[in-house]
mmCIF file of all heavy atoms in Angstrom:
data_model
loop_
_atom_site.group_PDB
_atom_site.id
_atom_site.type_symbol
_atom_site.label_atom_id
_atom_site.label_comp_id
_atom_site.label_asym_id
_atom_site.label_seq_id
_atom_site.Cartn_x
_atom_site.Cartn_y
_atom_site.Cartn_z
ATOM 1 N N TRP A 331 -32.665 -74.044 22.959
ATOM 2 C CA TRP A 331 -31.884 -75.127 22.242
ATOM 3 C C TRP A 331 -32.332 -76.486 22.817
ATOM 4 O O TRP A 331 -31.537 -77.255 23.318
ATOM 5 C CB TRP A 331 -30.366 -74.916 22.409
ATOM 6 C CG TRP A 331 -29.654 -75.315 21.173
ATOM 7 C CD1 TRP A 331 -29.156 -76.546 20.882
ATOM 8 C CD2 TRP A 331 -29.314 -74.499 20.042
ATOM 9 N NE1 TRP A 331 -28.511 -76.548 19.651
ATOM 10 C CE2 TRP A 331 -28.688 -75.268 19.122
ATOM 11 C CE3 TRP A 331 -29.566 -73.165 19.697
ATOM 12 C CZ2 TRP A 331 -28.172 -74.799 17.886
ATOM 13 C CZ3 TRP A 331 -29.139 -72.705 18.494
ATOM 14 C CH2 TRP A 331 -28.467 -73.530 17.590
ATOM 15 N N ALA A 332 -33.600 -76.729 22.683
ATOM 16 C CA ALA A 332 -34.123 -78.092 23.097
ATOM 17 C C ALA A 332 -33.993 -78.307 24.583
ATOM 18 O O ALA A 332 -33.887 -79.439 25.057
ATOM 19 C CB ALA A 332 -33.499 -79.213 22.267
ATOM 20 N N ASN A 386 -22.713 -81.061 34.992
ATOM 21 C CA ASN A 386 -23.238 -79.706 34.707
ATOM 22 C C ASN A 386 -23.643 -79.417 33.237
ATOM 23 O O ASN A 386 -24.140 -78.343 32.947
ATOM 24 C CB ASN A 386 -22.215 -78.606 35.105
ATOM 25 C CG ASN A 386 -21.759 -78.866 36.499
ATOM 26 O OD1 ASN A 386 -22.497 -78.609 37.430
ATOM 27 N ND2 ASN A 386 -20.537 -79.395 36.650
ATOM 28 N N SER A 387 -23.289 -80.320 32.354
ATOM 29 C CA SER A 387 -23.556 -80.070 30.969
ATOM 30 C C SER A 387 -23.497 -81.351 30.155
ATOM 31 O O SER A 387 -23.127 -82.419 30.724
ATOM 32 C CB SER A 387 -22.499 -79.140 30.395
ATOM 33 O OG SER A 387 -21.246 -79.763 30.319
ATOM 34 N N GLY A 388 -23.883 -81.234 28.888
ATOM 35 C CA GLY A 388 -23.873 -82.379 28.039
ATOM 36 C C GLY A 388 -22.499 -82.962 27.803
ATOM 37 O O GLY A 388 -22.226 -84.158 27.965
ATOM 38 N N LEU A 389 -21.556 -82.066 27.460
ATOM 39 C CA LEU A 389 -20.184 -82.560 27.174
ATOM 40 C C LEU A 389 -19.596 -83.251 28.373
ATOM 41 O O LEU A 389 -18.918 -84.246 28.267
ATOM 42 C CB LEU A 389 -19.268 -81.459 26.596
ATOM 43 C CG LEU A 389 -18.556 -80.563 27.621
ATOM 44 C CD1 LEU A 389 -17.319 -81.175 28.171
ATOM 45 C CD2 LEU A 389 -18.218 -79.270 26.864
ATOM 46 N N GLU A 390 -19.900 -82.701 29.566
ATOM 47 C CA GLU A 390 -19.350 -83.333 30.791
ATOM 48 C C GLU A 390 -19.932 -84.686 31.003
ATOM 49 O O GLU A 390 -19.288 -85.575 31.498
ATOM 50 C CB GLU A 390 -19.638 -82.397 31.963
ATOM 51 C CG GLU A 390 -18.684 -82.614 33.150
ATOM 52 C CD GLU A 390 -19.099 -81.747 34.371
ATOM 53 O OE1 GLU A 390 -19.801 -80.801 34.229
ATOM 54 O OE2 GLU A 390 -18.651 -82.159 35.453
ATOM 55 N N ALA A 391 -21.235 -84.866 30.671
ATOM 56 C CA ALA A 391 -21.840 -86.179 30.763
ATOM 57 C C ALA A 391 -21.160 -87.125 29.836
ATOM 58 O O ALA A 391 -20.850 -88.288 30.216
ATOM 59 C CB ALA A 391 -23.370 -86.116 30.508
ATOM 60 N N ASN A 392 -20.901 -86.711 28.601
ATOM 61 C CA ASN A 392 -20.275 -87.574 27.617
ATOM 62 C C ASN A 392 -18.807 -87.924 28.003
ATOM 63 O O ASN A 392 -18.376 -89.073 27.863
ATOM 64 C CB ASN A 392 -20.292 -86.930 26.208
ATOM 65 C CG ASN A 392 -21.685 -87.059 25.557
ATOM 66 O OD1 ASN A 392 -22.492 -87.919 25.958
ATOM 67 N ND2 ASN A 392 -21.977 -86.194 24.617
ATOM 68 N N SER A 419 -22.264 -86.720 13.878
ATOM 69 C CA SER A 419 -22.704 -86.707 15.288
ATOM 70 C C SER A 419 -22.401 -85.351 15.954
ATOM 71 O O SER A 419 -21.730 -84.514 15.337
ATOM 72 C CB SER A 419 -21.988 -87.848 16.066
ATOM 73 O OG SER A 419 -20.557 -87.609 15.985
ATOM 74 N N PHE A 420 -22.906 -85.219 17.148
ATOM 75 C CA PHE A 420 -22.494 -84.065 17.976
ATOM 76 C C PHE A 420 -22.430 -84.515 19.427
ATOM 77 O O PHE A 420 -23.464 -84.972 19.948
ATOM 78 C CB PHE A 420 -23.445 -82.833 17.835
ATOM 79 C CG PHE A 420 -22.917 -81.660 18.573
ATOM 80 C CD1 PHE A 420 -21.937 -80.857 18.013
ATOM 81 C CD2 PHE A 420 -23.310 -81.379 19.872
ATOM 82 C CE1 PHE A 420 -21.387 -79.768 18.735
ATOM 83 C CE2 PHE A 420 -22.774 -80.331 20.590
ATOM 84 C CZ PHE A 420 -21.837 -79.471 19.990
ATOM 85 N N HIS A 421 -21.297 -84.410 20.065
ATOM 86 C CA HIS A 421 -21.147 -84.856 21.430
ATOM 87 C C HIS A 421 -20.622 -83.815 22.364
ATOM 88 O O HIS A 421 -20.423 -84.080 23.556
ATOM 89 C CB HIS A 421 -20.307 -86.092 21.489
ATOM 90 C CG HIS A 421 -20.828 -87.246 20.708
ATOM 91 N ND1 HIS A 421 -22.047 -87.854 21.059
ATOM 92 C CD2 HIS A 421 -20.436 -87.901 19.601
ATOM 93 C CE1 HIS A 421 -22.304 -88.829 20.179
ATOM 94 N NE2 HIS A 421 -21.357 -88.859 19.315
ATOM 95 N N GLY A 422 -20.373 -82.538 21.878
ATOM 96 C CA GLY A 422 -19.894 -81.477 22.781
ATOM 97 C C GLY A 422 -18.579 -80.878 22.341
ATOM 98 O O GLY A 422 -18.038 -81.278 21.302
ATOM 99 N N ARG A 423 -18.139 -79.895 23.107
ATOM 100 C CA ARG A 423 -17.061 -79.032 22.596
ATOM 101 C C ARG A 423 -15.753 -79.168 23.385
ATOM 102 O O ARG A 423 -14.855 -78.347 23.146
ATOM 103 C CB ARG A 423 -17.550 -77.572 22.748
ATOM 104 C CG ARG A 423 -18.793 -77.269 21.958
ATOM 105 C CD ARG A 423 -18.555 -77.137 20.510
ATOM 106 N NE ARG A 423 -19.616 -76.396 19.878
ATOM 107 C CZ ARG A 423 -19.471 -75.617 18.792
ATOM 108 N NH1 ARG A 423 -18.290 -75.423 18.245
ATOM 109 N NH2 ARG A 423 -20.508 -75.021 18.308
ATOM 110 N N SER A 424 -15.595 -80.067 24.283
ATOM 111 C CA SER A 424 -14.292 -80.265 24.911
ATOM 112 C C SER A 424 -13.412 -80.879 23.815
ATOM 113 O O SER A 424 -13.831 -81.308 22.771
ATOM 114 C CB SER A 424 -14.383 -81.275 26.097
ATOM 115 O OG SER A 424 -14.849 -82.536 25.602
ATOM 116 N N MET A 427 -14.433 -84.479 23.261
ATOM 117 C CA MET A 427 -15.745 -84.621 22.577
ATOM 118 C C MET A 427 -15.734 -83.994 21.125
ATOM 119 O O MET A 427 -16.491 -84.412 20.302
ATOM 120 C CB MET A 427 -16.842 -83.945 23.421
ATOM 121 C CG MET A 427 -17.212 -84.796 24.592
ATOM 122 S SD MET A 427 -17.531 -86.536 24.206
ATOM 123 C CE MET A 427 -16.233 -87.327 25.117
ATOM 124 N N THR A 431 -16.944 -86.035 18.061
ATOM 125 C CA THR A 431 -17.946 -85.446 17.128
ATOM 126 C C THR A 431 -17.432 -85.602 15.694
ATOM 127 O O THR A 431 -16.429 -84.962 15.335
ATOM 128 C CB THR A 431 -18.156 -83.921 17.493
ATOM 129 O OG1 THR A 431 -18.819 -83.861 18.776
ATOM 130 C CG2 THR A 431 -18.977 -83.247 16.459
ATOM 131 N N GLU A 472 -25.928 -91.109 18.929
ATOM 132 C CA GLU A 472 -27.211 -90.531 19.281
ATOM 133 C C GLU A 472 -28.319 -91.386 18.653
ATOM 134 O O GLU A 472 -28.157 -91.745 17.476
ATOM 135 C CB GLU A 472 -27.288 -89.077 18.676
ATOM 136 C CG GLU A 472 -26.305 -88.108 19.191
ATOM 137 C CD GLU A 472 -26.026 -87.019 18.183
ATOM 138 O OE1 GLU A 472 -26.812 -86.090 18.014
ATOM 139 O OE2 GLU A 472 -24.994 -87.167 17.424
ATOM 140 N N PRO A 473 -29.388 -91.685 19.308
ATOM 141 C CA PRO A 473 -30.479 -92.459 18.685
ATOM 142 C C PRO A 473 -30.981 -91.786 17.397
ATOM 143 O O PRO A 473 -31.227 -92.430 16.400
ATOM 144 C CB PRO A 473 -31.550 -92.530 19.729
ATOM 145 C CG PRO A 473 -30.881 -92.226 21.044
ATOM 146 C CD PRO A 473 -29.698 -91.334 20.671
ATOM 147 N N ILE A 474 -31.136 -90.466 17.447
ATOM 148 C CA ILE A 474 -31.417 -89.647 16.263
ATOM 149 C C ILE A 474 -30.372 -88.506 16.341
ATOM 150 O O ILE A 474 -30.234 -87.864 17.394
ATOM 151 C CB ILE A 474 -32.851 -89.077 16.293
ATOM 152 C CG1 ILE A 474 -33.868 -90.212 16.153
ATOM 153 C CG2 ILE A 474 -32.995 -88.007 15.179
ATOM 154 C CD1 ILE A 474 -35.283 -89.771 16.312
ATOM 155 N N GLN A 475 -29.646 -88.240 15.311
ATOM 156 C CA GLN A 475 -28.696 -87.207 15.284
ATOM 157 C C GLN A 475 -29.339 -85.856 15.233
ATOM 158 O O GLN A 475 -30.061 -85.551 14.264
ATOM 159 C CB GLN A 475 -27.668 -87.311 14.105
ATOM 160 C CG GLN A 475 -26.778 -88.567 14.241
ATOM 161 C CD GLN A 475 -25.760 -88.647 13.114
ATOM 162 O OE1 GLN A 475 -26.065 -88.236 11.997
ATOM 163 N NE2 GLN A 475 -24.642 -89.212 13.427
ATOM 164 N N GLY A 476 -29.100 -85.020 16.291
ATOM 165 C CA GLY A 476 -29.769 -83.707 16.340
ATOM 166 C C GLY A 476 -29.048 -82.665 15.534
ATOM 167 O O GLY A 476 -29.510 -82.245 14.504
ATOM 168 N N GLU A 477 -27.906 -82.199 16.085
ATOM 169 C CA GLU A 477 -27.173 -81.114 15.462
ATOM 170 C C GLU A 477 -26.709 -81.529 14.000
ATOM 171 O O GLU A 477 -26.533 -80.590 13.180
ATOM 172 C CB GLU A 477 -25.906 -80.771 16.237
ATOM 173 C CG GLU A 477 -26.150 -80.427 17.741
ATOM 174 C CD GLU A 477 -27.055 -79.271 17.940
ATOM 175 O OE1 GLU A 477 -26.870 -78.284 17.258
ATOM 176 O OE2 GLU A 477 -27.980 -79.434 18.763
ATOM 177 N N ASP A 505 -26.010 -91.292 23.467
ATOM 178 C CA ASP A 505 -25.996 -89.881 23.867
ATOM 179 C C ASP A 505 -27.430 -89.362 23.689
ATOM 180 O O ASP A 505 -27.894 -89.148 22.507
ATOM 181 C CB ASP A 505 -25.039 -89.096 22.960
ATOM 182 C CG ASP A 505 -25.042 -87.591 23.200
ATOM 183 O OD1 ASP A 505 -26.019 -87.106 23.810
ATOM 184 O OD2 ASP A 505 -24.113 -86.909 22.771
ATOM 185 N N GLU A 506 -28.220 -89.284 24.725
ATOM 186 C CA GLU A 506 -29.593 -88.886 24.712
ATOM 187 C C GLU A 506 -29.760 -87.466 25.209
ATOM 188 O O GLU A 506 -30.808 -87.077 25.798
ATOM 189 C CB GLU A 506 -30.481 -89.891 25.619
ATOM 190 C CG GLU A 506 -30.528 -91.242 24.979
ATOM 191 C CD GLU A 506 -31.899 -91.642 24.448
ATOM 192 O OE1 GLU A 506 -32.727 -90.727 24.268
ATOM 193 O OE2 GLU A 506 -32.171 -92.862 24.349
ATOM 194 N N ILE A 507 -28.674 -86.750 25.071
ATOM 195 C CA ILE A 507 -28.704 -85.316 25.567
ATOM 196 C C ILE A 507 -29.770 -84.497 24.905
ATOM 197 O O ILE A 507 -30.450 -83.690 25.575
ATOM 198 C CB ILE A 507 -27.297 -84.749 25.358
ATOM 199 C CG1 ILE A 507 -26.324 -85.376 26.421
ATOM 200 C CG2 ILE A 507 -27.284 -83.175 25.541
ATOM 201 C CD1 ILE A 507 -24.847 -85.159 26.070
ATOM 202 N N GLN A 508 -30.002 -84.760 23.609
ATOM 203 C CA GLN A 508 -31.073 -84.020 22.891
ATOM 204 C C GLN A 508 -32.328 -84.863 22.839
ATOM 205 O O GLN A 508 -33.436 -84.335 22.966
ATOM 206 C CB GLN A 508 -30.544 -83.653 21.514
ATOM 207 C CG GLN A 508 -31.533 -82.744 20.795
ATOM 208 C CD GLN A 508 -30.843 -81.842 19.722
ATOM 209 O OE1 GLN A 508 -31.478 -81.355 18.778
ATOM 210 N NE2 GLN A 508 -29.574 -81.621 19.841
ATOM 211 N N THR A 509 -32.187 -86.150 22.615
ATOM 212 C CA THR A 509 -33.393 -86.997 22.392
ATOM 213 C C THR A 509 -34.149 -87.426 23.656
ATOM 214 O O THR A 509 -35.311 -87.781 23.590
ATOM 215 C CB THR A 509 -32.974 -88.282 21.600
ATOM 216 O OG1 THR A 509 -31.887 -88.927 22.391
ATOM 217 C CG2 THR A 509 -32.508 -88.017 20.163
ATOM 218 N N THR A 531 -26.327 -90.832 28.302
ATOM 219 C CA THR A 531 -26.023 -89.457 28.799
ATOM 220 C C THR A 531 -27.204 -88.574 28.577
ATOM 221 O O THR A 531 -27.943 -88.680 27.624
ATOM 222 C CB THR A 531 -24.763 -88.916 28.113
ATOM 223 O OG1 THR A 531 -24.977 -88.869 26.677
ATOM 224 C CG2 THR A 531 -23.527 -89.696 28.434
ATOM 225 N N ALA A 533 -28.788 -84.293 29.355
ATOM 226 C CA ALA A 533 -28.562 -82.874 29.756
ATOM 227 C C ALA A 533 -29.765 -82.102 29.325
ATOM 228 O O ALA A 533 -30.851 -82.245 29.892
ATOM 229 C CB ALA A 533 -27.231 -82.301 29.181
ATOM 230 N N LYS A 534 -29.581 -81.266 28.319
ATOM 231 C CA LYS A 534 -30.636 -80.400 27.774
ATOM 232 C C LYS A 534 -31.958 -80.352 28.536
ATOM 233 O O LYS A 534 -32.147 -79.551 29.459
ATOM 234 C CB LYS A 534 -30.880 -80.646 26.278
ATOM 235 C CG LYS A 534 -29.591 -80.283 25.478
ATOM 236 C CD LYS A 534 -29.922 -80.101 24.002
ATOM 237 C CE LYS A 534 -28.761 -79.384 23.285
ATOM 238 N NZ LYS A 534 -27.627 -80.213 22.897
ATOM 239 N N ILE A 542 -27.731 -78.741 33.948
ATOM 240 C CA ILE A 542 -27.469 -80.050 34.577
ATOM 241 C C ILE A 542 -27.286 -81.104 33.515
ATOM 242 O O ILE A 542 -27.915 -81.053 32.465
ATOM 243 C CB ILE A 542 -28.653 -80.445 35.582
ATOM 244 C CG1 ILE A 542 -28.256 -81.715 36.354
ATOM 245 C CG2 ILE A 542 -29.986 -80.592 34.823
ATOM 246 C CD1 ILE A 542 -29.251 -82.056 37.477
ATOM 247 N N ARG A 652 -34.356 -76.059 11.922
ATOM 248 C CA ARG A 652 -34.832 -77.041 12.886
ATOM 249 C C ARG A 652 -35.818 -76.362 13.883
ATOM 250 O O ARG A 652 -35.591 -75.221 14.247
ATOM 251 C CB ARG A 652 -33.635 -77.561 13.678
ATOM 252 C CG ARG A 652 -34.046 -78.541 14.792
ATOM 253 C CD ARG A 652 -32.820 -79.258 15.420
ATOM 254 N NE ARG A 652 -31.732 -78.302 15.625
ATOM 255 C CZ ARG A 652 -30.625 -78.571 16.353
ATOM 256 N NH1 ARG A 652 -30.487 -79.761 16.980
ATOM 257 N NH2 ARG A 652 -29.696 -77.671 16.490
HETATM 258 C C1 LIG B 992 -26.176 -80.352 22.983
HETATM 259 C C2 LIG B 992 -25.601 -81.705 22.822
HETATM 260 C C3 LIG B 992 -24.369 -82.052 23.466
HETATM 261 C C4 LIG B 992 -23.505 -81.062 24.214
HETATM 262 O O1 LIG B 992 -24.108 -80.506 25.316
HETATM 263 P P1 LIG B 992 -23.473 -79.222 26.031
HETATM 264 O O2 LIG B 992 -24.300 -79.056 27.282
HETATM 265 O O3 LIG B 992 -23.572 -78.102 25.041
HETATM 266 O O4 LIG B 992 -22.113 -79.615 26.402
HETATM 267 C C5 LIG B 992 -23.912 -83.332 23.332
HETATM 268 N N1 LIG B 992 -24.640 -84.263 22.651
HETATM 269 C C6 LIG B 992 -25.759 -83.958 22.008
HETATM 270 C C7 LIG B 992 -26.521 -84.995 21.297
HETATM 271 C C8 LIG B 992 -26.302 -82.652 22.086
HETATM 272 O O5 LIG B 992 -27.462 -82.368 21.496
#
Side-chain angles (χ1 to χ4, degrees):
W331 216 269
N386 308 287
S387 69
L389 83 82
E390 201 186 341
N392 283 340
S419 59
F420 185 82
H421 299 296
R423 303 284 201 147
S424 63
M427 287 310 118
T431 292
E472 297 153 82
I474 292 173
Q475 292 184 327
E477 306 300 314
D505 176 343
E506 294 247 18
I507 288 164
Q508 187 153 160
T509 53
T531 58
K534 294 202 165 80
I542 186 168
R652 176 173 42 168

